[in-house]
Amino acid sequence: MSDPLPRITPAQRRARLGRRHLLAPSARAAYVEAVADAVVGLHATDPATVYLSACARLREPGAGEVERALYEDVSLVKLLSMRRTIFAVTTELAPVVGSSTARAIAVRERATLLKHLRERAEEHWDEARLAEVEKAVLAAVAERGEATTAEVAEDVPALRERIVMAPGKPYAARQTVGSRLLRLLASDGHLRRCRPRGSWTSSLYPWALVPPLPDLPVREAKAELARRWLAAYGPATEADLKWWTGWTVTDTRRALADIGAEGVALAEGPGYVAPGDVPGGDEPVADDEPWAALLPGLDPTAMGWQARGWYLDPDHVKPLFDGSGNIGPTVWWNGRIVGGWAQRANGEVVWRALTDVGREATAAVAAEAARLSGWLGEVRVTPRFRTPLERELAS
């Protein structure tokens, strides 16, 4: 008869978060690269999320530290990758993410764009014309050094042509070829987003050429990404890893086997930890350092698992998520989501607990709100994906 799997309780899982995700004050990092690696990439679909997520985990929060990594040292790069979402990852991890996930997504994005160009564009497009326009775009960006989509379209008029999206639907829209094509070239690894025009909350990015990422064997890259994810997010289930990456069941199981992931028993059922990460008898079952955090919408910790019952009360899903499954700004106390927060037009950061958290937690959350207000200064942040509680608090 085989030995039973080691059991890891929800309390033990919550106890790991403060240290592994750099949320406990003593665990905070000095540099944003350490933050990105600790959570295996910062969500970047909403430009503000990268800054807010990083600064929640930095000893000395400030937009300048994030801008240094993104636009000066270029030690963080944005890739359309896991779950077809943009992540900011370190240049050291980027080849792993590129080969394991981003490259396959770019292939699908190219096929989709070509299909739309053939069927819905105002002028005739085929593979040959797409290749010709892409070559012209890269030459124009090289000549300018960096340029917005509109600036490149001055040199490549084909980018101004339009595609009808969702034809016949009430939400039908006409998009320029340029708005799709330059994002595709970024997905293919030819372009990167430069410092936005305007504040760091802006999405108006210029583009610049970028050296191609090294190619890694796909299976090895998937195994390495699974290993890093389990080290940060484990214990977790197979379904959690499949959801987080967007891989198939087959690829997910193969990656877990390739790294020798160790089985554990969770409240949800069978789970896994990275090799050697099974807790010992001295593993804490409560946070050894109480911590509070105000995390932004789409923060990697909040969106780290498919099954969230061990850190999120199911009754709190409705006020904290939008209709598409995107989580909004959240308030954390010792590994649990206990409420939400928002910034009002006057700059005030306000929050509300959705459960009784007690005086210690109230004081700690208030201190985090003051810390956030301090580094935001005059900047106003509105999440791209708004949720019922955030809208209510912001009004």
Side-chain angles (χ1 to χ4, degrees):
M1 189 171 178
S2 61
D3 293 332
L5 293 175
R7 176 166 293 277
I8 302 182
T9 67
Q12 286 175 307
R13 297 179 76 179
R14 291 191 293 268
R16 292 179 169 211
L17 283 186
R19 300 185 303 277
R20 299 195 180 195
H21 287 210
L22 312 185
L23 292 165
S26 66
R28 289 172 181 157
Y31 302 106
V32 70
E33 293 89 347
V35 173
D37 277 340
V39 293
V40 200
L42 295 162
H43 278 268
T45 303
D46 184 339
T49 297
V50 178
Y51 292 80
L52 294 165
S53 291
C55 288
R57 298 166 169 88
L58 287 172
R59 292 174 204 157
E60 298 182 8
E65 167 59 17
V66 184
E67 291 179 322
R68 172 196 61 77
L70 285 171
Y71 307 125
E72 296 169 17
D73 296 345
V74 196
S75 52
L76 282 186
V77 295
K78 294 182 179 181
L79 297 176
L80 183 66
S81 49
M82 288 72 74
R83 299 192 315 283
R84 199 173 164 274
T85 299
I86 300 176
F87 279 78
V89 301
T90 59
T91 49
E92 188 264 337
L93 182 60
V96 172
V97 172
S99 296
S100 68
T101 310
R103 187 183 304 147
I105 291 173
V107 169
R108 294 196 294 272
E109 291 290 303
R110 175 171 294 279
T112 298
L113 176 59
L114 187 57
K115 181 176 186 292
H116 288 168
L117 287 171
R118 282 171 168 161
E119 297 176 355
R120 304 175 185 174
E122 297 168 328
E123 304 292 338
H124 171 72
W125 285 79
D126 56 18
E127 289 187 53
R129 188 181 183 208
L130 177 59
E132 178 186 347
V133 172
E134 286 180 312
K135 184 177 179 181
V137 166
L138 295 176
V141 174
E143 178 67 23
R144 288 176 175 266
E146 66 174 55
T148 64
T149 301
E151 289 167 344
V152 178
E154 295 175 7
D155 303 323
V156 187
L159 297 183
R160 300 189 192 124
E161 295 178 25
R162 295 186 177 273
I163 311 172
V164 179
M165 305 304 297
K169 303 290 185 182
Y171 48 87
R174 291 159 61 85
Q175 295 182 351
T176 64
V177 171
S179 66
R180 299 284 300 277
L181 182 52
L182 272 80
R183 289 199 298 269
L184 175 62
L185 288 169
S187 298
D188 274 339
H190 297 298
L191 298 177
R192 69 174 178 87
R193 295 164 175 82
C194 301
R195 190 188 301 271
R197 305 282 171 86
S199 78
W200 52 263
T201 63
S202 170
S203 296
L204 183 57
Y205 295 105
W207 303 93
L209 299 184
V210 64
L213 292 173
D215 283 334
L216 302 178
V218 174
R219 183 167 176 173
E220 292 178 17
K222 288 183 185 293
E224 177 61 12
L225 186 62
R227 184 191 68 77
R228 288 178 182 244
W229 184 82
L230 267 188
Y233 292 85
T237 66
E238 174 190 291
D240 288 329
L241 177 58
K242 176 184 178 297
W243 176 82
W244 187 85
T245 56
W247 295 340
T248 64
V249 171
T250 299
D251 284 340
T252 303
R253 290 177 177 171
R254 182 185 295 128
L256 289 169
D258 284 348
I259 65 172
E262 298 186 42
V264 294
L266 304 175
E268 303 94 313
Y272 295 91
V273 294
D277 197 29
V278 175
D282 59 347
E283 179 89 0
V285 294
D287 294 278
D288 51 9
E289 179 186 1
W291 58 271
L294 272 64
L295 300 183
L298 297 179
D299 183 84
T301 301
M303 295 290 287
W305 301 264
Q306 184 182 48
R308 303 174 178 128
W310 57 277
Y311 65 91
L312 173 65
D313 187 326
D315 291 339
H316 299 162
V317 170
K318 187 173 181 179
L320 293 173
F321 284 76
D322 71 4
S324 300
N326 301 303
I327 198 167
T330 50
V331 174
W332 292 69
W333 174 243
N334 288 345
R336 284 189 178 93
I337 295 175
V338 297
W341 66 273
Q343 186 187 37
R344 291 181 173 158
N346 64 1
E348 181 185 10
V349 173
V350 294
W351 65 281
R352 180 185 300 166
L354 296 173
T355 187
D356 183 11
V357 296
R359 276 194 274 181
E360 182 185 12
T362 298
V365 173
E368 286 304 304
R371 182 174 183 262
L372 175 58
S373 294
W375 76 262
L376 282 177
E378 298 299 316
V379 175
R380 302 292 178 263
V381 178
T382 301
R384 176 169 293 182
F385 306 103
R386 305 197 69 182
T387 56
L389 183 56
E390 186 275 329
R391 288 181 181 274
E392 182 182 348
L393 290 174
S395 63

